[in-house]
Amino acid sequence: MMLPEEEDTAAPVLKLEKAAESDTVAYLGPIDGTGSRPVFISVPQTTGGGDVALGVVNDELGLIEFAFTRHSKKRAKEIKEIFFSKLPNMVDTTLSHAADVLERAYQAKGTGVSDSARAYLQFRPWLLERSSRMQRPAVYDFLSPDATSSGPLTEAQVQRLFEHGLMASWMIDLKSLRPLIEEMGKAEESRLFISEGQRLEHIQRIKHDALSKLFSEDRRQALKYRLEEMAYVFLKSNEEGLARACSAVAFSLSQKDSLVSVNPFLKTLVDRSLAYYLKSSKKSESPSHQESQRLIIT
């Protein structure tokens, strides 16, 4: 995503002005499949104009893009309009929530020397002084965790969640999936199976065994965080049912899978990712090769 053109690019100096603090607004956007999301913070100044902090951050890759500049009141308004026109799903939040998102991204890559990191370091002292540490995910200020953890997670809940446009980009990256794809491809080409049913049963077992490799405890915790953040976005977008479904999925990731059953969300995430890459692979091939292609992606 391209940030709006900077104007009045002199480094802003945030002063301790109560009026400005009370008018500070913070917004966050939904998280895409890679863990990236937009953030926007506006700090009006009593002397006119205001400071604008905006960008795209990733909870694993750090500050993808970040700018912190001072503008006239008119220009600050224009920048907000441009930013929100390109990102229509932004939701309002607290300064502490926005600070938590920014700090996660900043800490993910340490004290890097990129332009984005330098811009954030200008803004960071003011931000940390005026925000408090999050004690729990923001969504649980509105939803009770107990209300979303009753009963086992159902496939219907998962399917409804993935049908929403904001979840369309939630896929497993191809690099992580490639070992599974190659193993499934070998099973499809093997002549050792007596029947097609036996072959399909073996492929299902391969997929089941792959889940523990694809989703380590750290990976499950990362997904849990993102789902709880998406629950907040859905809730602020008047989608309480989806917010509860998101929270239920997040809770399920803290539970251990049994030997015979797997988490419906993780299973669906793998299945839809496999289907996406297979479809993309077939589109890139010539018609003469499509009939013989099954699950092998080169």
Side-chain angles (χ1 to χ4, degrees), residues 135-156:
Q135 299 301 314
R136 60 180 182 176
V139 67
Y140 299 131
D141 289 338
F142 305 92
L143 290 180
S144 168
D146 296 334
T148 61
S149 59
S150 58
L153 181 68
T154 66
E155 291 190 8

Side-chain angles (χ1 to χ4, degrees), residues 2-298:
M2 298 299 294
L3 300 179
E5 287 187 23
E6 295 183 7
E7 189 174 284
D8 306 328
T9 55
V13 179
L14 288 168
K15 299 180 180 180
L16 305 182
E17 299 170 337
K18 292 183 180 179
E21 289 179 38
S22 65
D23 292 333
T24 298
V25 293
Y27 295 87
L28 293 169
I31 301 175
D32 69 13
T34 69
S36 294
R37 71 189 310 187
V39 58
F40 182 97
I41 302 174
S42 176
V43 186
Q45 297 294 325
T46 55
T47 55
D51 301 311
V52 176
L54 56 79
V56 176
V57 301
N58 185 287
D59 54 27
E60 291 183 336
L61 302 178
L63 300 162
I64 306 302
E65 294 183 81
F66 190 82
F68 176 45
T69 50
R70 174 159 292 176
H71 305 275
S72 66
K73 185 176 181 179
K74 178 181 178 181
R75 180 55 180 161
K77 182 180 179 180
E78 290 175 347
I79 288 176
K80 182 179 178 181
E81 290 175 350
I82 293 171
F83 194 79
F84 279 54
S85 68
K86 296 179 180 294
L87 300 162
N89 297 300
M90 302 290 287
V91 297
D92 65 284
T93 191
T94 63
L95 191 62
S96 293
H97 188 187
D100 182 77
V101 169
L102 285 166
E103 277 296 291
R104 282 177 182 270
Y106 177 68
Q107 298 296 339
K109 282 298 181 181
T111 54
V113 293
S114 66
D115 290 341
S116 292
R118 292 190 187 96
Y120 179 61
L121 285 174
Q122 292 179 358
F123 181 53
R124 189 171 184 248
W126 183 94
L127 179 65
L128 296 184
E129 184 178 345
R130 286 156 184 80
S131 58
S132 57
R133 188 177 183 86
M134 297 283 288
Q135 299 301 314
R136 60 180 182 176
V139 67
Y140 299 131
D141 289 338
F142 305 92
L143 290 180
S144 168
D146 296 334
T148 61
S149 59
S150 58
L153 181 68
T154 66
E155 291 190 8
Q157 287 175 299
V158 173
Q159 289 297 338
R160 184 186 175 200
L161 197 57
F162 276 124
E163 286 171 1
H164 197 282
L166 293 183
M167 298 293 292
S169 68
W170 280 56
M171 300 280 181
I172 303 172
D173 64 278
L174 180 56
K175 182 179 179 181
S176 298
L177 270 186
R178 192 175 292 280
L180 171 59
I181 292 171
E182 292 176 349
E183 191 171 0
M184 290 172 65
K186 291 177 181 177
E188 288 206 350
E189 293 182 340
S190 175
R191 298 180 179 179
L192 298 177
F193 299 102
I194 298 174
S195 66
E196 191 63 21
Q198 189 182 58
R199 185 193 308 276
L200 292 175
E201 182 180 347
H202 180 68
I203 290 174
Q204 290 302 317
R205 187 160 55 249
I206 290 173
K207 290 167 65 176
H208 181 282
D209 294 342
L211 289 176
S212 60
K213 299 176 184 177
L214 286 168
F215 301 108
S216 64
E217 183 59 31
D218 287 345
R219 177 52 47 191
R220 290 170 75 110
Q221 288 301 312
L223 285 172
K224 182 176 183 292
Y225 165 75
R226 293 175 187 175
L227 285 160
E228 288 169 333
E229 289 296 298
M230 280 302 299
Y232 180 86
V233 172
F234 282 129
L235 191 64
K236 296 293 285 189
S237 302
N238 298 316
E239 298 268 16
E240 184 175 339
L242 288 172
R244 290 183 179 278
C246 239
S247 295
V249 173
F251 176 80
S252 75
L253 294 179
S254 62
Q255 309 301 301
K256 296 294 184 181
D257 294 337
S258 71
L259 295 176
V260 295
S261 65
V262 297
N263 185 286
F265 177 80
L266 299 182
K267 179 180 180 299
T268 303
L269 186 60
V270 169
D271 287 343
R272 71 195 303 267
S273 300
L274 287 171
Y276 172 79
Y277 294 127
L278 176 59
K279 183 177 180 181
S280 299
S281 176
K282 286 184 175 180
K283 283 184 177 180
S284 66
E285 294 183 340
S286 63
S288 61
H289 290 93
Q290 286 187 13
E291 291 182 1
S292 61
Q293 178 67 19
R294 300 184 87 168
L295 281 172
I296 300 177
I297 298 179
T298 58

